[in-house]
Amino acid sequence: MSGTQVATAQSSVMQSGGTTVAVSPRLHFSPDEMALAEAVASHPALAAFYGGNGLKPIFTGPEGEVRRQALRDAIETMPSHGIPTSRYHPDSLGSAGQDFTSEMVYARTLARMIQDLTGGVIDPARSVPGIHREVRRPAVAQLIAEFAASDNPANYLVKLGPQHEPYEQLQAALHETQAMSVPADLPKAPEAVWRLGMSDEGVALLRARLASIGLEAERVTDPRLYDEALSAEVARYQEAVGLNPDGVAGPNTIRQLNSDGMNARTRAIIVALERMRWMTGEALDDRMVWVNIPEYKARIFEKGHEVFQTRVVVGKAETEMQTPEFSDQMEYLVVNPRWNVPRSITIKEYLPQLKANRYAVSHIDIVDGNGNVVPRDNIDFARYTASSFPYRMRQKPSDDNALGKVKFIFPNQWNIYLHDTPTKHLFANQSRAYSHGCIRIGDPFDLAYQLLSVQTENPQAVFERALNTGKETWLKLTPEVPVHLVYFTAFPDETGQIRLYKDVYGRDAVIWGLLEKAGLDLDA
């Protein structure tokens, strides 16, 4: 859009008594107005705002000072969101005056802050191949207009980020973790395992580091002794940083106490805050299914409260088998499902077996393009390659069906869904990344009952009637239920305590690198 287009677009329509009235475009503009139009022409959001604002500045003059101060103050709070102030180049704001150049500096900074807080610093779709999160970001031009019209612009910016309890709990945990940073000039404590009654020179160093962050144990005659008072302070530190508060100073506790503040917990929380910003446009207080991949758990929330949870098995760590991240609408329960074997499994796993023995995997049917079962004696498997194999494979409903007795469908291009499984023993494992990408449910019947509970007084009876037919039966969910496949390695539990989970797919490490770059590169 050119500067002239920005200028002429600003006067195309107006509202009068609730009626839209067309008006003629303005043909004459002052030099300042044209200069402003040219300056914002390359920035779509600013072009839309100033074009609709009569090409009037909002950061100059007496009224502009209130907005300028509000933006400067907001920048100082950005570390509470895990975003460094350097991303907004505050020095340039401090030296800016009340001229045209100042208007542009403030406007561009405001637009960046709005984008960051309402949809994230980075684009998830361009970060990691397995992230398919669609950011539903509000129109930046509209938010700038609301900021300009606000009687309290400072308060408007404070409330601009996600207004969701887990986000606030992550912010509080980040503040607490940063407060637990030991001064850089203190000697580090040697890594060891110290328990009650043990004595060592390193215990004195441990005492000093704890005391520097306000966890000072009662003075004793021998600072080298690991006594009860010191054990209590160690437990307080462990609880604050998300470790098991057993009061034993082991390697993990000491390593974290020796860190420079930007430790694994801090990084995980900052990445979690960014992930929450990607979901600003989602109605997270509505009834929803929430599957946190690194936690290996699925939950149902209603009005922010957990009403159901179960263990899950997720995709393997291999790139092509990782469970993707996205949000969708769960539409159906399929009872006694048939398993349509994915093409990738058919040609990579089953075709080699069929070439060696046509009767291999005999519990799965070979079907043609019309869905008809083809006798194996009629097929010369040896003549086909992975690219030329013309058949599909399908497993009928049965006790050993790979999908178990029920699957939960939210149609998507990646063919990902939740389902039962006959391999129940995997749910006993602490790490549960074993599937080809879909999510296996530990308590599938209970999940079905809970999902059906809002549309029938006896969800168990409805489900069991379908189950007892032995035939594939589709049960429509009314209303549909939002489902979020998420990836949080740090997230608050029901008590607000931050829990940490292994970055099983290595996704957070990539996002952290992108956030670091975004914090330093003002043109990102």
Side-chain angles (χ1 to χ4, degrees):
M1 182 179 288
S2 70
T4 302
Q5 288 173 314
V6 174
T8 57
Q10 61 87 30
S11 55
S12 59
V13 296
M14 68 177 182
Q15 294 289 330
S16 176
T19 303
T20 301
V21 180
V23 297
S24 300
R26 285 175 58 190
L27 300 179
H28 301 287
F29 302 90
S30 71
D32 286 345
E33 289 173 336
M34 284 306 301
L36 180 58
E38 291 291 347
V40 301
S42 62
H43 194 300
L46 293 181
F49 167 69
Y50 283 105
N53 192 50
L55 294 174
K56 294 181 175 63
I58 62 172
F59 286 108
T60 58
E63 292 183 359
E65 172 55 30
V66 175
R67 300 185 185 113
R68 292 197 300 274
Q69 187 62 50
L71 184 56
R72 291 194 296 265
D73 290 345
I75 290 173
E76 294 302 312
T77 70
M78 293 309 287
S80 71
H81 296 275
I83 304 175
T85 58
S86 61
R87 177 166 168 78
Y88 307 99
H89 211 322
D91 293 343
S92 68
L93 299 181
S95 61
Q98 296 189 37
D99 54 14
F100 171 77
T101 301
S102 172
E103 180 75 19
M104 287 300 92
V105 172
Y106 275 91
R108 289 179 180 274
T109 303
L110 175 62
R112 166 164 280 192
M113 179 181 291
I114 288 174
Q115 286 182 307
D116 290 347
L117 290 178
T118 62
V121 173
I122 64 176
D123 181 355
R126 297 182 179 181
S127 58
V128 179
I131 301 178
H132 307 298
R133 174 110 2 242
E134 179 183 351
V135 178
R136 296 180 174 87
R137 193 190 302 272
V140 173
Q142 176 60 34
L143 297 186
I144 295 176
E146 292 175 4
F147 166 79
S150 175
D151 293 333
N152 191 337
N155 189 55
Y156 181 87
L157 293 180
V158 167
K159 296 182 178 180
L160 197 57
Q163 303 298 301
H164 190 52
E165 186 175 20
Y167 190 84
E168 296 170 356
Q169 291 169 330
L170 286 165
Q171 284 186 292
L174 178 62
H175 175 76
E176 191 173 56
T177 299
Q178 291 169 334
M180 290 289 175
S181 298
V182 176
D185 58 345
L186 276 184
K188 294 184 177 182
E191 292 186 17
V193 177
W194 289 315
R195 295 184 174 88
L196 286 175
M198 298 178 71
S199 181
D200 189 274
E201 292 292 341
V203 174
L205 297 176
L206 175 68
R207 283 181 179 276
R209 294 187 75 81
L210 288 170
S212 73
I213 55 175
L215 300 177
E216 187 169 7
E218 296 178 3
R219 295 187 179 277
V220 294
T221 55
D222 185 1
R224 299 172 302 172
L225 179 65
Y226 198 88
D227 57 15
E228 290 187 3
L230 179 58
S231 177
E233 296 305 316
V234 168
R236 286 180 60 195
Y237 174 78
Q238 290 169 326
E239 185 171 18
V241 299
L243 297 172
N244 179 31
D246 58 8
V248 175
N252 288 339
T253 298
I254 298 170
R255 192 176 302 124
Q256 185 139 312
L257 189 60
N258 283 339
S259 70
D260 60 2
M262 192 55 72
N263 51 45
R265 174 182 168 84
T266 305
R267 289 194 294 271
I269 292 173
I270 290 174
V271 171
L273 287 165
E274 172 70 1
R275 288 179 174 278
M276 288 297 297
R277 290 190 289 269
W278 296 346
M279 302 183 73
T280 302
E282 304 289 348
L284 298 182
D285 287 329
D286 290 351
R287 186 168 183 259
M288 65 178 181
V289 176
W290 179 272
V291 181
N292 189 15
I293 297 166
E295 187 187 5
Y296 308 116
K297 288 283 185 69
R299 292 176 166 84
I300 295 179
F301 288 97
E302 293 183 0
K303 297 181 179 179
H305 298 289
E306 179 185 310
V307 297
F308 173 82
Q309 75 161 264
T310 183
R311 293 186 174 195
V312 301
V313 169
V314 301
K316 298 177 182 178
E318 289 87 338
T319 302
E320 67 277 7
M321 296 186 186
Q322 294 179 7
T323 299
E325 301 169 52
F326 63 96
S327 294
D328 212 315
Q329 295 287 319
M330 188 176 291
E331 300 179 17
Y332 300 97
L333 307 186
V334 184
V335 187
N336 299 315
R338 294 182 296 178
W339 181 40
N340 294 300
V341 182
R343 177 75 179 178
S344 60
I345 298 177
T346 296
I347 61 177
K348 291 180 181 179
E349 299 183 22
Y350 292 157
L351 182 56
Q353 297 180 51
L354 292 168
K355 286 184 175 183
N357 175 10
R358 69 174 61 246
Y359 302 110
V361 290
S362 59
H363 60 293
I364 301 179
D365 292 330
I366 312 294
V367 298
D368 62 19
N370 295 319
N372 301 312
V373 177
V374 180
R376 295 178 181 225
D377 290 336
N378 295 350
I379 303 173
D380 181 6
F381 293 102
R383 63 177 292 196
Y384 296 114
T385 65
S387 60
S388 66
F389 190 61
Y391 301 102
R392 296 184 294 111
M393 300 185 72
R394 185 179 65 202
Q395 186 180 15
K396 62 177 67 72
S398 62
D399 289 338
D400 63 350
N401 185 285
L403 304 184
K405 294 293 187 179
V406 59
K407 67 177 179 179
F408 306 83
I409 299 296
F410 37 103
N412 60 84
Q413 67 188 86
W414 307 283
N415 198 27
I416 296 297
Y417 44 86
L418 279 59
H419 65 86
D420 183 16
T421 176
T423 54
K424 305 292 187 183
H425 66 280
L426 295 178
F427 294 105
N429 296 346
Q430 184 174 5
S431 177
R432 297 188 290 276
Y434 297 110
S435 81
H436 287 82
C438 286
I439 299 146
R440 304 175 191 172
I441 301 296
D443 301 295
F445 287 15
D446 291 335
L447 175 59
Y449 303 155
Q450 185 62 233
L451 289 170
L452 292 168
S453 64
V454 299
Q455 64 192 76
T456 177
E457 293 182 355
N458 195 338
Q460 185 171 348
V462 171
F463 181 83
E464 289 183 351
R465 276 198 302 271
L467 184 67
N468 292 337
T469 67
K471 298 178 181 179
E472 184 174 81
T473 304
W474 290 57
L475 300 178
K476 174 70 175 174
L477 289 177
T478 307
E480 296 175 358
V481 182
V483 56
H484 304 289
L485 308 187
V486 299
Y487 191 100
F488 286 96
T489 60
F491 207 74
D493 63 15
E494 60 277 5
T495 70
Q497 179 72 31
I498 303 299
R499 300 298 177 189
L500 302 180
Y501 310 103
K502 183 179 178 181
D503 186 8
V504 62
Y505 295 159
R507 291 178 184 170
D508 272 19
V510 176
I511 293 170
W512 174 254
L514 293 173
L515 287 173
E516 282 192 306
K517 180 181 178 182
L520 298 174
D521 181 3
L522 295 175
D523 295 323

